């Protein structure tokens, strides 16, 4: 009887949701799988990288500063240039477990963003830290990436602003 | 006029070929970038890298390019002679240029010193060794002067 009250669109949506559950990914990751006892206080978060100060800040959905990390966008001479200034939407996270602490991406993976006319623009750690050159990505340190990943699990990143200045 | 129809077919083929080339070397789509990103970590030999170059050259940017440079560094350390053979083949000159371009200052200093020593040992015998030595030195200079 209840099924007759659902629109075909709603049924499709529910089916997709159950498929995600069946594949092992919980739809309630933002509350560690417990939507009854826990809640998402900040909602989606965003990053802002200030080129001038070499600081990358993370904000909650209301624009409140949550944390700041050392970061840089020093690129090699043969690269396609630094990350262009602007605001970009979040694309995906890739663990890249093949990279160790001093590997190209560090030990905590990469958060990738959609940047028009560029490919693989992301935030990661690795090598000797933020000052080590990249081929376009913003580099921070391993400790900061670990903190950022913890935050991303509860308040998923939605965008990055590159260039600055960032709100204090 | 049968020659006119032949000319027309030939023109169609030429346009088709140039469009295909443009498409292959054009911008990297989001889907292509994701495939390239997931492939780069699996490169363990020069033939893997050459396959990657043929399939994903248009996505050579950002973290994908950083992964390629890392693989180039490891391969030059572990199989330097393999690259000397590749560089000696005229049909692989564009791939050899791609490899040399990725010998850059995103690599660890130790890796660059190791490659520099290998290149020094054959400089004067092989032209590509001279190119690798110069390129490695430039990367080391860039590391020293951020």
């Amino acid at each position: 009887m209840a099924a007759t009250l659902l629109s075909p669109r709603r049924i499709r949506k529910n089916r997709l949701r159950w498929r995600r559950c069946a594949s092992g990914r919980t739809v309630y990751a933002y509350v560690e799988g417990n939507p009854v006892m826990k809640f998402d206080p900040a909602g989606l978060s965003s990053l802002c990288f200030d080129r001038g100060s070499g600081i990358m800040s993370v904000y909650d959905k209301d624009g409140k500063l949550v944390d700041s990390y050392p970061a840089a966008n020093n690129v090699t001479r043969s690269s396609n240039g630094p990350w262009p200034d602007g605001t970009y939407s979040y694309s995906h996270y890739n663990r890249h477990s093949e990279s160790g602490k001093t590997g190209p991406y560090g030990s905590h993976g990469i958060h990738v963003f959609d940047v028009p006319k560029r490919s693989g623009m992301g935030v990661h750690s690795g090598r000797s830290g933020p000052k080590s050159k990249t081929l376009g990505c913003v580099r921070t340190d391993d400790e900061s990436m670990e903190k950022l990943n913890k935050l991303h699990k509860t308040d998923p990143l939605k965008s990055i602003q590159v260039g600055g200045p960032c709100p204090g | 006029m049968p020659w006119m129809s032949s000319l027309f077919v030939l023109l169609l083929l030429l346009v088709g070929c140039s469009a295909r080339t443009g498409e292959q070397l054009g911008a990297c789509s989001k889907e292509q970038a994701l495939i390239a990103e997931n492939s780069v970590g699996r490169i363990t030999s020069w033939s893997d890298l050459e396959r990657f170059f043929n399939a994903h050259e248009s996505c050579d940017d950002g973290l994908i390019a950083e992964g390629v440079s890392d693989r180039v560094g490891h391969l030059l350390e572990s199989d330097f002679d393999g690259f000397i053979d590749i560089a000696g083949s005229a049909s692989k000159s564009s791939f050899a240029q791609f490899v040399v371009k990725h010998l850059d200052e995103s690599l660890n200093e130790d890796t660059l010193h190791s490659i520099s020593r290998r290149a020094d040992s054959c400089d004067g015998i092989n032209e590509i060794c001279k190119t690798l030595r110069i390129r490695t030195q430039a990367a080391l200079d860039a590391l020293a002067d951020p």
Side-chain angles (χ1 to χ4, degrees):
Chain A
M1 184 69 188
T4 57
L5 299 173
L6 295 176
S7 68
R9 192 178 166 191
R10 185 74 183 267
I11 291 168
R12 271 198 303 274
K13 219 173 165 182
N14 282 350
R15 196 180 294 150
L16 280 172
R17 180 173 270 205
W18 281 110
R19 269 189 203 149
R20 287 180 72 194
C21 288
S23 68
R25 288 168 59 199
T26 170
V27 289
Y28 299 115
Y30 63 100
V31 282
E32 295 169 330
N34 190 348
V36 178
M37 298 303 290
K38 294 183 177 181
F39 67 99
D40 180 15
L44 299 168
S45 54
S46 58
L47 286 172
C48 181
F49 167 62
D50 186 337
R51 238 178 249 291
S53 64
I55 298 284
M56 183 170 62
S57 306
V58 59
Y59 301 87
D60 67 17
K61 69 165 183 180
D62 298 319
K64 190 181 143 203
L65 181 67
V66 178
D67 210 349
S68 292
Y69 317 116
N73 186 215
N74 295 333
V75 295
T76 65
R77 281 175 291 192
S78 58
S79 73
N80 295 331
W83 193 322
D85 288 358
T87 302
Y88 308 97
S89 347
Y90 189 81
S91 172
H92 63 277
Y93 171 78
N94 199 326
R95 178 75 187 83
H96 280 288
S97 49
E98 77 277 7
S99 170
K101 191 176 179 182
T102 57
Y105 315 128
S107 13
H108 298 287
I110 307 174
H111 292 285
V112 186
F113 295 82
D114 291 324
V115 179
K117 296 179 183 171
R118 297 293 297 265
S119 303
M121 302 301 280
V123 173
H124 60 76
S125 52
R127 298 297 190 220
S128 307
K131 298 286 178 195
S132 293
K133 294 191 178 176
T134 68
L135 281 88
C137 293
V138 167
R139 199 192 293 275
T140 182
D141 58 30
D142 241 24
E143 193 188 346
S144 302
M145 272 305 287
E146 193 175 6
K147 285 186 196 167
L148 186 61
N149 285 357
K150 274 184 190 161
L151 186 80
H152 178 69
K153 276 182 188 162
T154 51
D155 296 309
L157 291 168
K158 64 167 183 182
S159 64
I160 186 169
Q161 186 200 327
V162 173
C166 301
Chain B
M1 302 249 193
W3 65 272
M4 275 189 79
S5 60
S6 301
L7 186 67
F8 182 69
V9 169
L10 185 66
L11 274 171
L12 273 181
L13 278 171
L14 284 172
V15 168
C17 285
S18 58
R20 185 171 153 74
T21 308
E23 189 181 286
Q24 281 171 338
L25 297 177
C28 170
S29 71
K30 191 176 171 177
E31 291 73 24
Q32 286 173 314
L34 200 58
I35 295 168
E37 186 188 339
N38 289 324
S39 308
V40 74
R42 293 197 288 267
I43 295 168
T44 57
S45 65
W46 288 117
S47 52
D48 286 348
L49 185 61
E50 193 176 359
R51 271 194 294 275
F52 181 92
F53 166 71
N54 289 330
H56 307 296
E57 193 196 358
S58 63
C59 300
D60 188 26
D61 192 13
L63 71 95
I64 301 159
E66 288 161 29
V68 170
S69 291
D70 183 67
R71 296 293 91 199
V72 163
H74 279 286
L75 286 170
L76 283 173
E77 267 189 309
S78 60
D79 185 15
F80 188 87
D81 294 337
F83 180 64
I84 301 300
D85 292 342
I86 288 165
S89 164
S91 64
K92 296 188 176 184
S93 64
S94 55
F95 174 57
Q97 280 169 19
F98 174 77
V99 171
V100 170
K101 187 187 101 173
H102 276 283
L103 185 51
D104 61 36
E105 63 269 32
S106 71
L107 294 169
N108 279 326
E109 198 175 345
D110 289 349
T111 304
L112 288 169
H113 277 301
S114 165
I115 298 165
S116 179
R117 280 194 296 274
R118 293 297 303 271
D120 266 344
S121 68
C122 59
D123 194 1
I125 304 166
N126 201 319
E127 192 60 29
I128 192 67
C129 292
K130 186 181 177 185
T131 306
L132 290 174
R133 184 182 57 75
I134 292 168
R135 187 80 192 178
T136 312
Q137 193 52 54
L140 283 164
D141 291 347
L143 270 181
D145 181 25

